[in-house]
Amino acid sequence: MHPKNDTHFNKPKTKLMLSRTFINRLIIFGFLVLVGFSLAKALYHKSVMGIILALVSLLATIYFLYLVARIREEARKEETA
């Protein structure tokens, strides 16, 4: 049987899938809050090393999210092709 004809693959997302997406977004948001807090504390204490480390962490997080989005888009294109 072809997978697209199988009703198992055509079901809407379950609550587990929705909660997993929500949990992933919550983890990312929490991490960005911690990075922002560390950047604010570094600025408050005028710590050059702290500012550099917080900015590197922020840029690494943004780059990671960009890579994840790009990989998902490529997987979606391969799936439709």
Side-chain angles (χ1 to χ4, degrees), residues 40-78:
K41 289 295 273 187
L43 288 170
Y44 176 77
H45 292 289
K46 298 177 184 171
S47 169
V48 176
M49 182 62 75
I51 293 169
I52 291 171
L53 291 174
L55 289 176
V56 167
S57 181
L58 181 64
L59 291 174
T61 304
I62 292 169
Y63 184 65
F64 171 75
L65 294 175
Y66 165 75
L67 288 177
V68 168
R70 195 173 84 186
I71 289 171
R72 283 185 181 167
E73 184 64 30
E74 288 176 4
R76 188 176 302 133
K77 285 181 183 178
E78 286 181 7

PDB file of all heavy atoms in Angstrom, residues 40-78:
ATOM      1  N   ALA A  40      22.515  41.502  29.746  1.00  0.00           N
ATOM      2  CA  ALA A  40      22.147  42.655  30.570  1.00  0.00           C
ATOM      3  C   ALA A  40      23.044  42.757  31.801  1.00  0.00           C
ATOM      4  O   ALA A  40      23.488  43.853  32.170  1.00  0.00           O
ATOM      5  CB  ALA A  40      20.679  42.551  30.984  1.00  0.00           C
ATOM      6  N   LYS A  41      23.321  41.622  32.455  1.00  0.00           N
ATOM      7  CA  LYS A  41      24.202  41.644  33.629  1.00  0.00           C
ATOM      8  C   LYS A  41      25.626  42.051  33.239  1.00  0.00           C
ATOM      9  O   LYS A  41      26.292  42.776  33.984  1.00  0.00           O
ATOM     10  CB  LYS A  41      24.223  40.275  34.303  1.00  0.00           C
ATOM     11  CG  LYS A  41      22.934  39.904  35.013  1.00  0.00           C
ATOM     12  CD  LYS A  41      22.646  40.825  36.178  1.00  0.00           C
ATOM     13  CE  LYS A  41      23.332  40.307  37.418  1.00  0.00           C
ATOM     14  NZ  LYS A  41      22.964  41.054  38.619  1.00  0.00           N
ATOM     15  N   ALA A  42      26.087  41.571  32.078  1.00  0.00           N
ATOM     16  CA  ALA A  42      27.429  41.932  31.628  1.00  0.00           C
ATOM     17  C   ALA A  42      27.508  43.428  31.334  1.00  0.00           C
ATOM     18  O   ALA A  42      28.519  44.077  31.651  1.00  0.00           O
ATOM     19  CB  ALA A  42      27.806  41.127  30.392  1.00  0.00           C
ATOM     20  N   LEU A  43      26.459  43.962  30.738  1.00  0.00           N
ATOM     21  CA  LEU A  43      26.446  45.404  30.481  1.00  0.00           C
ATOM     22  C   LEU A  43      26.384  46.192  31.785  1.00  0.00           C
ATOM     23  O   LEU A  43      27.045  47.229  31.933  1.00  0.00           O
ATOM     24  CB  LEU A  43      25.255  45.769  29.588  1.00  0.00           C
ATOM     25  CG  LEU A  43      25.362  45.342  28.126  1.00  0.00           C
ATOM     26  CD1 LEU A  43      24.034  45.546  27.414  1.00  0.00           C
ATOM     27  CD2 LEU A  43      26.469  46.104  27.430  1.00  0.00           C
ATOM     28  N   TYR A  44      25.615  45.712  32.744  1.00  0.00           N
ATOM     29  CA  TYR A  44      25.479  46.387  34.034  1.00  0.00           C
ATOM     30  C   TYR A  44      26.825  46.438  34.767  1.00  0.00           C
ATOM     31  O   TYR A  44      27.189  47.453  35.345  1.00  0.00           O
ATOM     32  CB  TYR A  44      24.428  45.668  34.883  1.00  0.00           C
ATOM     33  CG  TYR A  44      24.280  46.242  36.268  1.00  0.00           C
ATOM     34  CD1 TYR A  44      23.585  47.429  36.472  1.00  0.00           C
ATOM     35  CD2 TYR A  44      24.827  45.591  37.363  1.00  0.00           C
ATOM     36  CE1 TYR A  44      23.442  47.952  37.743  1.00  0.00           C
ATOM     37  CE2 TYR A  44      24.690  46.107  38.636  1.00  0.00           C
ATOM     38  CZ  TYR A  44      24.001  47.289  38.827  1.00  0.00           C
ATOM     39  OH  TYR A  44      23.869  47.813  40.088  1.00  0.00           O
ATOM     40  N   HIS A  45      27.560  45.319  34.726  1.00  0.00           N
ATOM     41  CA  HIS A  45      28.847  45.250  35.419  1.00  0.00           C
ATOM     42  C   HIS A  45      30.015  45.705  34.545  1.00  0.00           C
ATOM     43  O   HIS A  45      31.162  45.653  34.979  1.00  0.00           O
ATOM     44  CB  HIS A  45      29.101  43.819  35.912  1.00  0.00           C
ATOM     45  CG  HIS A  45      28.174  43.402  36.996  1.00  0.00           C
ATOM     46  ND1 HIS A  45      28.240  43.897  38.273  1.00  0.00           N
ATOM     47  CD2 HIS A  45      27.131  42.533  37.001  1.00  0.00           C
ATOM     48  CE1 HIS A  45      27.301  43.353  39.017  1.00  0.00           C
ATOM     49  NE2 HIS A  45      26.601  42.518  38.264  1.00  0.00           N
ATOM     50  N   LYS A  46      29.717  46.128  33.322  1.00  0.00           N
ATOM     51  CA  LYS A  46      30.716  46.614  32.367  1.00  0.00           C
ATOM     52  C   LYS A  46      31.822  45.582  32.152  1.00  0.00           C
ATOM     53  O   LYS A  46      33.008  45.911  32.123  1.00  0.00           O
ATOM     54  CB  LYS A  46      31.293  47.945  32.824  1.00  0.00           C
ATOM     55  CG  LYS A  46      30.242  49.027  32.898  1.00  0.00           C
ATOM     56  CD  LYS A  46      30.800  50.319  33.406  1.00  0.00           C
ATOM     57  CE  LYS A  46      29.665  51.324  33.548  1.00  0.00           C
ATOM     58  NZ  LYS A  46      30.073  52.522  34.223  1.00  0.00           N
ATOM     59  N   SER A  47      31.405  44.338  31.984  1.00  0.00           N
ATOM     60  CA  SER A  47      32.333  43.239  31.762  1.00  0.00           C
ATOM     61  C   SER A  47      32.459  42.978  30.259  1.00  0.00           C
ATOM     62  O   SER A  47      31.514  42.508  29.622  1.00  0.00           O
ATOM     63  CB  SER A  47      31.833  41.972  32.472  1.00  0.00           C
ATOM     64  OG  SER A  47      32.582  40.864  32.068  1.00  0.00           O
ATOM     65  N   VAL A  48      33.628  43.302  29.718  1.00  0.00           N
ATOM     66  CA  VAL A  48      33.846  43.125  28.286  1.00  0.00           C
ATOM     67  C   VAL A  48      33.778  41.637  27.921  1.00  0.00           C
ATOM     68  O   VAL A  48      33.145  41.265  26.923  1.00  0.00           O
ATOM     69  CB  VAL A  48      35.203  43.732  27.859  1.00  0.00           C
ATOM     70  CG1 VAL A  48      35.475  43.461  26.384  1.00  0.00           C
ATOM     71  CG2 VAL A  48      35.226  45.223  28.142  1.00  0.00           C
ATOM     72  N   MET A  49      34.398  40.787  28.717  1.00  0.00           N
ATOM     73  CA  MET A  49      34.378  39.353  28.434  1.00  0.00           C
ATOM     74  C   MET A  49      32.953  38.806  28.495  1.00  0.00           C
ATOM     75  O   MET A  49      32.556  37.995  27.661  1.00  0.00           O
ATOM     76  CB  MET A  49      35.263  38.599  29.429  1.00  0.00           C
ATOM     77  CG  MET A  49      35.333  37.120  29.163  1.00  0.00           C
ATOM     78  SD  MET A  49      36.050  36.713  27.561  1.00  0.00           S
ATOM     79  CE  MET A  49      37.754  37.022  27.898  1.00  0.00           C
ATOM     80  N   GLY A  50      32.172  39.254  29.470  1.00  0.00           N
ATOM     81  CA  GLY A  50      30.785  38.811  29.579  1.00  0.00           C
ATOM     82  C   GLY A  50      29.952  39.248  28.382  1.00  0.00           C
ATOM     83  O   GLY A  50      29.114  38.492  27.882  1.00  0.00           O
ATOM     84  N   ILE A  51      30.174  40.471  27.928  1.00  0.00           N
ATOM     85  CA  ILE A  51      29.446  40.981  26.758  1.00  0.00           C
ATOM     86  C   ILE A  51      29.795  40.162  25.525  1.00  0.00           C
ATOM     87  O   ILE A  51      28.909  39.757  24.761  1.00  0.00           O
ATOM     88  CB  ILE A  51      29.745  42.477  26.543  1.00  0.00           C
ATOM     89  CG1 ILE A  51      29.173  43.299  27.699  1.00  0.00           C
ATOM     90  CG2 ILE A  51      29.178  42.962  25.215  1.00  0.00           C
ATOM     91  CD1 ILE A  51      29.636  44.744  27.713  1.00  0.00           C
ATOM     92  N   ILE A  52      31.076  39.901  25.334  1.00  0.00           N
ATOM     93  CA  ILE A  52      31.519  39.119  24.172  1.00  0.00           C
ATOM     94  C   ILE A  52      30.919  37.721  24.216  1.00  0.00           C
ATOM     95  O   ILE A  52      30.386  37.223  23.212  1.00  0.00           O
ATOM     96  CB  ILE A  52      33.055  39.073  24.106  1.00  0.00           C
ATOM     97  CG1 ILE A  52      33.611  40.459  23.770  1.00  0.00           C
ATOM     98  CG2 ILE A  52      33.523  38.049  23.077  1.00  0.00           C
ATOM     99  CD1 ILE A  52      35.112  40.573  23.904  1.00  0.00           C
ATOM    100  N   LEU A  53      30.980  37.066  25.366  1.00  0.00           N
ATOM    101  CA  LEU A  53      30.446  35.713  25.484  1.00  0.00           C
ATOM    102  C   LEU A  53      28.935  35.672  25.276  1.00  0.00           C
ATOM    103  O   LEU A  53      28.406  34.760  24.630  1.00  0.00           O
ATOM    104  CB  LEU A  53      30.816  35.112  26.835  1.00  0.00           C
ATOM    105  CG  LEU A  53      32.299  34.789  27.031  1.00  0.00           C
ATOM    106  CD1 LEU A  53      32.548  34.340  28.461  1.00  0.00           C
ATOM    107  CD2 LEU A  53      32.739  33.720  26.056  1.00  0.00           C
ATOM    108  N   ALA A  54      28.226  36.656  25.805  1.00  0.00           N
ATOM    109  CA  ALA A  54      26.774  36.700  25.625  1.00  0.00           C
ATOM    110  C   ALA A  54      26.411  36.937  24.164  1.00  0.00           C
ATOM    111  O   ALA A  54      25.485  36.317  23.635  1.00  0.00           O
ATOM    112  CB  ALA A  54      26.168  37.785  26.510  1.00  0.00           C
ATOM    113  N   LEU A  55      27.142  37.803  23.495  1.00  0.00           N
ATOM    114  CA  LEU A  55      26.868  38.058  22.081  1.00  0.00           C
ATOM    115  C   LEU A  55      27.192  36.841  21.217  1.00  0.00           C
ATOM    116  O   LEU A  55      26.447  36.529  20.278  1.00  0.00           O
ATOM    117  CB  LEU A  55      27.650  39.289  21.599  1.00  0.00           C
ATOM    118  CG  LEU A  55      27.158  40.632  22.133  1.00  0.00           C
ATOM    119  CD1 LEU A  55      28.078  41.755  21.671  1.00  0.00           C
ATOM    120  CD2 LEU A  55      25.727  40.888  21.678  1.00  0.00           C
ATOM    121  N   VAL A  56      28.287  36.166  21.532  1.00  0.00           N
ATOM    122  CA  VAL A  56      28.623  34.946  20.787  1.00  0.00           C
ATOM    123  C   VAL A  56      27.534  33.892  20.996  1.00  0.00           C
ATOM    124  O   VAL A  56      27.120  33.220  20.042  1.00  0.00           O
ATOM    125  CB  VAL A  56      30.009  34.414  21.211  1.00  0.00           C
ATOM    126  CG1 VAL A  56      30.242  33.007  20.703  1.00  0.00           C
ATOM    127  CG2 VAL A  56      31.100  35.339  20.708  1.00  0.00           C
ATOM    128  N   SER A  57      27.059  33.761  22.207  1.00  0.00           N
ATOM    129  CA  SER A  57      25.991  32.804  22.490  1.00  0.00           C
ATOM    130  C   SER A  57      24.709  33.175  21.751  1.00  0.00           C
ATOM    131  O   SER A  57      24.025  32.313  21.201  1.00  0.00           O
ATOM    132  CB  SER A  57      25.739  32.745  23.992  1.00  0.00           C
ATOM    133  OG  SER A  57      24.735  31.832  24.274  1.00  0.00           O
ATOM    134  N   LEU A  58      24.384  34.439  21.709  1.00  0.00           N
ATOM    135  CA  LEU A  58      23.199  34.897  20.998  1.00  0.00           C
ATOM    136  C   LEU A  58      23.319  34.629  19.501  1.00  0.00           C
ATOM    137  O   LEU A  58      22.382  34.133  18.861  1.00  0.00           O
ATOM    138  CB  LEU A  58      22.969  36.383  21.263  1.00  0.00           C
ATOM    139  CG  LEU A  58      21.748  37.013  20.613  1.00  0.00           C
ATOM    140  CD1 LEU A  58      20.476  36.380  21.157  1.00  0.00           C
ATOM    141  CD2 LEU A  58      21.751  38.507  20.858  1.00  0.00           C
ATOM    142  N   LEU A  59      24.469  34.937  18.927  1.00  0.00           N
ATOM    143  CA  LEU A  59      24.681  34.696  17.499  1.00  0.00           C
ATOM    144  C   LEU A  59      24.669  33.207  17.170  1.00  0.00           C
ATOM    145  O   LEU A  59      24.133  32.798  16.134  1.00  0.00           O
ATOM    146  CB  LEU A  59      25.996  35.341  17.043  1.00  0.00           C
ATOM    147  CG  LEU A  59      26.009  36.866  17.043  1.00  0.00           C
ATOM    148  CD1 LEU A  59      27.404  37.381  16.710  1.00  0.00           C
ATOM    149  CD2 LEU A  59      24.990  37.403  16.063  1.00  0.00           C
ATOM    150  N   ALA A  60      25.236  32.394  18.042  1.00  0.00           N
ATOM    151  CA  ALA A  60      25.219  30.944  17.822  1.00  0.00           C
ATOM    152  C   ALA A  60      23.794  30.403  17.863  1.00  0.00           C
ATOM    153  O   ALA A  60      23.435  29.532  17.064  1.00  0.00           O
ATOM    154  CB  ALA A  60      26.084  30.247  18.867  1.00  0.00           C
ATOM    155  N   THR A  61      22.980  30.918  18.753  1.00  0.00           N
ATOM    156  CA  THR A  61      21.588  30.488  18.839  1.00  0.00           C
ATOM    157  C   THR A  61      20.825  30.878  17.584  1.00  0.00           C
ATOM    158  O   THR A  61      20.064  30.077  17.028  1.00  0.00           O
ATOM    159  CB  THR A  61      20.908  31.103  20.072  1.00  0.00           C
ATOM    160  OG1 THR A  61      21.655  30.766  21.232  1.00  0.00           O
ATOM    161  CG2 THR A  61      19.485  30.633  20.208  1.00  0.00           C
ATOM    162  N   ILE A  62      21.017  32.092  17.123  1.00  0.00           N
ATOM    163  CA  ILE A  62      20.339  32.554  15.909  1.00  0.00           C
ATOM    164  C   ILE A  62      20.783  31.729  14.705  1.00  0.00           C
ATOM    165  O   ILE A  62      19.951  31.323  13.881  1.00  0.00           O
ATOM    166  CB  ILE A  62      20.599  34.059  15.692  1.00  0.00           C
ATOM    167  CG1 ILE A  62      19.890  34.857  16.783  1.00  0.00           C
ATOM    168  CG2 ILE A  62      20.132  34.508  14.308  1.00  0.00           C
ATOM    169  CD1 ILE A  62      20.272  36.316  16.831  1.00  0.00           C
ATOM    170  N   TYR A  63      22.061  31.435  14.604  1.00  0.00           N
ATOM    171  CA  TYR A  63      22.562  30.625  13.491  1.00  0.00           C
ATOM    172  C   TYR A  63      22.003  29.209  13.563  1.00  0.00           C
ATOM    173  O   TYR A  63      21.635  28.627  12.541  1.00  0.00           O
ATOM    174  CB  TYR A  63      24.092  30.613  13.504  1.00  0.00           C
ATOM    175  CG  TYR A  63      24.688  29.882  12.324  1.00  0.00           C
ATOM    176  CD1 TYR A  63      24.520  30.363  11.029  1.00  0.00           C
ATOM    177  CD2 TYR A  63      25.399  28.713  12.504  1.00  0.00           C
ATOM    178  CE1 TYR A  63      25.053  29.693   9.947  1.00  0.00           C
ATOM    179  CE2 TYR A  63      25.942  28.034  11.427  1.00  0.00           C
ATOM    180  CZ  TYR A  63      25.772  28.527  10.150  1.00  0.00           C
ATOM    181  OH  TYR A  63      26.294  27.857   9.085  1.00  0.00           O
ATOM    182  N   PHE A  64      21.914  28.644  14.764  1.00  0.00           N
ATOM    183  CA  PHE A  64      21.334  27.311  14.933  1.00  0.00           C
ATOM    184  C   PHE A  64      19.882  27.284  14.468  1.00  0.00           C
ATOM    185  O   PHE A  64      19.466  26.362  13.755  1.00  0.00           O
ATOM    186  CB  PHE A  64      21.430  26.883  16.398  1.00  0.00           C
ATOM    187  CG  PHE A  64      20.672  25.629  16.708  1.00  0.00           C
ATOM    188  CD1 PHE A  64      21.160  24.397  16.318  1.00  0.00           C
ATOM    189  CD2 PHE A  64      19.466  25.692  17.381  1.00  0.00           C
ATOM    190  CE1 PHE A  64      20.461  23.232  16.598  1.00  0.00           C
ATOM    191  CE2 PHE A  64      18.764  24.541  17.669  1.00  0.00           C
ATOM    192  CZ  PHE A  64      19.262  23.313  17.270  1.00  0.00           C
ATOM    193  N   LEU A  65      19.107  28.279  14.851  1.00  0.00           N
ATOM    194  CA  LEU A  65      17.707  28.332  14.434  1.00  0.00           C
ATOM    195  C   LEU A  65      17.589  28.498  12.921  1.00  0.00           C
ATOM    196  O   LEU A  65      16.691  27.924  12.290  1.00  0.00           O
ATOM    197  CB  LEU A  65      16.983  29.460  15.161  1.00  0.00           C
ATOM    198  CG  LEU A  65      16.836  29.270  16.668  1.00  0.00           C
ATOM    199  CD1 LEU A  65      16.220  30.502  17.303  1.00  0.00           C
ATOM    200  CD2 LEU A  65      16.013  28.034  16.968  1.00  0.00           C
ATOM    201  N   TYR A  66      18.502  29.260  12.321  1.00  0.00           N
ATOM    202  CA  TYR A  66      18.523  29.409  10.862  1.00  0.00           C
ATOM    203  C   TYR A  66      18.807  28.065  10.192  1.00  0.00           C
ATOM    204  O   TYR A  66      18.150  27.699   9.215  1.00  0.00           O
ATOM    205  CB  TYR A  66      19.582  30.449  10.470  1.00  0.00           C
ATOM    206  CG  TYR A  66      19.931  30.428   9.010  1.00  0.00           C
ATOM    207  CD1 TYR A  66      19.066  30.959   8.062  1.00  0.00           C
ATOM    208  CD2 TYR A  66      21.128  29.875   8.565  1.00  0.00           C
ATOM    209  CE1 TYR A  66      19.383  30.935   6.721  1.00  0.00           C
ATOM    210  CE2 TYR A  66      21.456  29.843   7.233  1.00  0.00           C
ATOM    211  CZ  TYR A  66      20.578  30.376   6.309  1.00  0.00           C
ATOM    212  OH  TYR A  66      20.890  30.341   4.977  1.00  0.00           O
ATOM    213  N   LEU A  67      19.780  27.326  10.713  1.00  0.00           N
ATOM    214  CA  LEU A  67      20.107  26.022  10.140  1.00  0.00           C
ATOM    215  C   LEU A  67      18.944  25.040  10.277  1.00  0.00           C
ATOM    216  O   LEU A  67      18.654  24.280   9.344  1.00  0.00           O
ATOM    217  CB  LEU A  67      21.355  25.443  10.805  1.00  0.00           C
ATOM    218  CG  LEU A  67      22.679  26.104  10.453  1.00  0.00           C
ATOM    219  CD1 LEU A  67      23.808  25.458  11.245  1.00  0.00           C
ATOM    220  CD2 LEU A  67      22.947  26.014   8.968  1.00  0.00           C
ATOM    221  N   VAL A  68      18.279  25.044  11.415  1.00  0.00           N
ATOM    222  CA  VAL A  68      17.132  24.155  11.610  1.00  0.00           C
ATOM    223  C   VAL A  68      16.026  24.481  10.615  1.00  0.00           C
ATOM    224  O   VAL A  68      15.441  23.580  10.006  1.00  0.00           O
ATOM    225  CB  VAL A  68      16.610  24.243  13.061  1.00  0.00           C
ATOM    226  CG1 VAL A  68      15.266  23.571  13.210  1.00  0.00           C
ATOM    227  CG2 VAL A  68      17.619  23.648  14.022  1.00  0.00           C
ATOM    228  N   ALA A  69      15.752  25.754  10.419  1.00  0.00           N
ATOM    229  CA  ALA A  69      14.713  26.163   9.461  1.00  0.00           C
ATOM    230  C   ALA A  69      15.098  25.755   8.041  1.00  0.00           C
ATOM    231  O   ALA A  69      14.248  25.296   7.270  1.00  0.00           O
ATOM    232  CB  ALA A  69      14.487  27.664   9.544  1.00  0.00           C
ATOM    233  N   ARG A  70      16.366  25.920   7.697  1.00  0.00           N
ATOM    234  CA  ARG A  70      16.823  25.557   6.350  1.00  0.00           C
ATOM    235  C   ARG A  70      16.733  24.050   6.123  1.00  0.00           C
ATOM    236  O   ARG A  70      16.299  23.598   5.057  1.00  0.00           O
ATOM    237  CB  ARG A  70      18.256  26.036   6.136  1.00  0.00           C
ATOM    238  CG  ARG A  70      18.665  26.032   4.671  1.00  0.00           C
ATOM    239  CD  ARG A  70      19.995  26.658   4.487  1.00  0.00           C
ATOM    240  NE  ARG A  70      20.993  25.613   4.760  1.00  0.00           N
ATOM    241  CZ  ARG A  70      22.289  25.806   4.818  1.00  0.00           C
ATOM    242  NH1 ARG A  70      22.764  27.021   4.682  1.00  0.00           N
ATOM    243  NH2 ARG A  70      23.110  24.823   5.039  1.00  0.00           N
ATOM    244  N   ILE A  71      17.098  23.261   7.113  1.00  0.00           N
ATOM    245  CA  ILE A  71      17.031  21.804   6.985  1.00  0.00           C
ATOM    246  C   ILE A  71      15.580  21.353   6.871  1.00  0.00           C
ATOM    247  O   ILE A  71      15.265  20.461   6.075  1.00  0.00           O
ATOM    248  CB  ILE A  71      17.750  21.130   8.169  1.00  0.00           C
ATOM    249  CG1 ILE A  71      19.247  21.337   8.040  1.00  0.00           C
ATOM    250  CG2 ILE A  71      17.408  19.657   8.250  1.00  0.00           C
ATOM    251  CD1 ILE A  71      20.036  20.911   9.252  1.00  0.00           C
ATOM    252  N   ARG A  72      14.691  21.958   7.642  1.00  0.00           N
ATOM    253  CA  ARG A  72      13.271  21.603   7.536  1.00  0.00           C
ATOM    254  C   ARG A  72      12.728  21.941   6.154  1.00  0.00           C
ATOM    255  O   ARG A  72      11.931  21.185   5.591  1.00  0.00           O
ATOM    256  CB  ARG A  72      12.461  22.333   8.597  1.00  0.00           C
ATOM    257  CG  ARG A  72      12.585  21.749   9.959  1.00  0.00           C
ATOM    258  CD  ARG A  72      11.666  22.434  10.923  1.00  0.00           C
ATOM    259  NE  ARG A  72      11.817  21.878  12.257  1.00  0.00           N
ATOM    260  CZ  ARG A  72      11.342  22.427  13.338  1.00  0.00           C
ATOM    261  NH1 ARG A  72      10.668  23.550  13.267  1.00  0.00           N
ATOM    262  NH2 ARG A  72      11.524  21.858  14.514  1.00  0.00           N
ATOM    263  N   GLU A  73      13.128  23.083   5.609  1.00  0.00           N
ATOM    264  CA  GLU A  73      12.675  23.480   4.276  1.00  0.00           C
ATOM    265  C   GLU A  73      13.191  22.505   3.216  1.00  0.00           C
ATOM    266  O   GLU A  73      12.453  22.115   2.318  1.00  0.00           O
ATOM    267  CB  GLU A  73      13.136  24.904   3.962  1.00  0.00           C
ATOM    268  CG  GLU A  73      12.633  25.427   2.651  1.00  0.00           C
ATOM    269  CD  GLU A  73      11.123  25.576   2.601  1.00  0.00           C
ATOM    270  OE1 GLU A  73      10.514  25.821   3.646  1.00  0.00           O
ATOM    271  OE2 GLU A  73      10.560  25.428   1.508  1.00  0.00           O
ATOM    272  N   GLU A  74      14.451  22.089   3.325  1.00  0.00           N
ATOM    273  CA  GLU A  74      15.002  21.124   2.370  1.00  0.00           C
ATOM    274  C   GLU A  74      14.292  19.780   2.486  1.00  0.00           C
ATOM    275  O   GLU A  74      14.015  19.136   1.476  1.00  0.00           O
ATOM    276  CB  GLU A  74      16.502  20.951   2.596  1.00  0.00           C
ATOM    277  CG  GLU A  74      17.316  22.129   2.156  1.00  0.00           C
ATOM    278  CD  GLU A  74      18.787  21.974   2.470  1.00  0.00           C
ATOM    279  OE1 GLU A  74      19.193  20.901   2.962  1.00  0.00           O
ATOM    280  OE2 GLU A  74      19.537  22.940   2.229  1.00  0.00           O
ATOM    281  N   ALA A  75      13.983  19.367   3.695  1.00  0.00           N
ATOM    282  CA  ALA A  75      13.264  18.103   3.885  1.00  0.00           C
ATOM    283  C   ALA A  75      11.860  18.190   3.294  1.00  0.00           C
ATOM    284  O   ALA A  75      11.372  17.226   2.698  1.00  0.00           O
ATOM    285  CB  ALA A  75      13.200  17.757   5.365  1.00  0.00           C
ATOM    286  N   ARG A  76      11.225  19.337   3.433  1.00  0.00           N
ATOM    287  CA  ARG A  76       9.892  19.526   2.871  1.00  0.00           C
ATOM    288  C   ARG A  76       9.935  19.486   1.345  1.00  0.00           C
ATOM    289  O   ARG A  76       9.056  18.909   0.707  1.00  0.00           O
ATOM    290  CB  ARG A  76       9.310  20.846   3.358  1.00  0.00           C
ATOM    291  CG  ARG A  76       7.855  21.049   2.992  1.00  0.00           C
ATOM    292  CD  ARG A  76       7.271  22.327   3.557  1.00  0.00           C
ATOM    293  NE  ARG A  76       7.380  22.343   5.010  1.00  0.00           N
ATOM    294  CZ  ARG A  76       7.834  23.377   5.714  1.00  0.00           C
ATOM    295  NH1 ARG A  76       8.235  24.472   5.087  1.00  0.00           N
ATOM    296  NH2 ARG A  76       7.890  23.341   7.028  1.00  0.00           N
ATOM    297  N   LYS A  77      10.973  20.099   0.750  1.00  0.00           N
ATOM    298  CA  LYS A  77      11.119  20.071  -0.706  1.00  0.00           C
ATOM    299  C   LYS A  77      11.359  18.654  -1.210  1.00  0.00           C
ATOM    300  O   LYS A  77      10.815  18.254  -2.238  1.00  0.00           O
ATOM    301  CB  LYS A  77      12.257  20.990  -1.145  1.00  0.00           C
ATOM    302  CG  LYS A  77      11.924  22.444  -1.079  1.00  0.00           C
ATOM    303  CD  LYS A  77      13.078  23.295  -1.549  1.00  0.00           C
ATOM    304  CE  LYS A  77      12.775  24.758  -1.426  1.00  0.00           C
ATOM    305  NZ  LYS A  77      13.908  25.590  -1.842  1.00  0.00           N
ATOM    306  N   GLU A  78      12.193  17.895  -0.495  1.00  0.00           N
ATOM    307  CA  GLU A  78      12.457  16.514  -0.905  1.00  0.00           C
ATOM    308  C   GLU A  78      11.203  15.656  -0.768  1.00  0.00           C
ATOM    309  O   GLU A  78      10.993  14.742  -1.553  1.00  0.00           O
ATOM    310  CB  GLU A  78      13.584  15.918  -0.062  1.00  0.00           C
ATOM    311  CG  GLU A  78      14.948  16.452  -0.420  1.00  0.00           C
ATOM    312  CD  GLU A  78      16.042  15.820   0.423  1.00  0.00           C
ATOM    313  OE1 GLU A  78      15.744  14.890   1.183  1.00  0.00           O
ATOM    314  OE2 GLU A  78      17.190  16.278   0.316  1.00  0.00           O
TER     315      GLU A  78
END
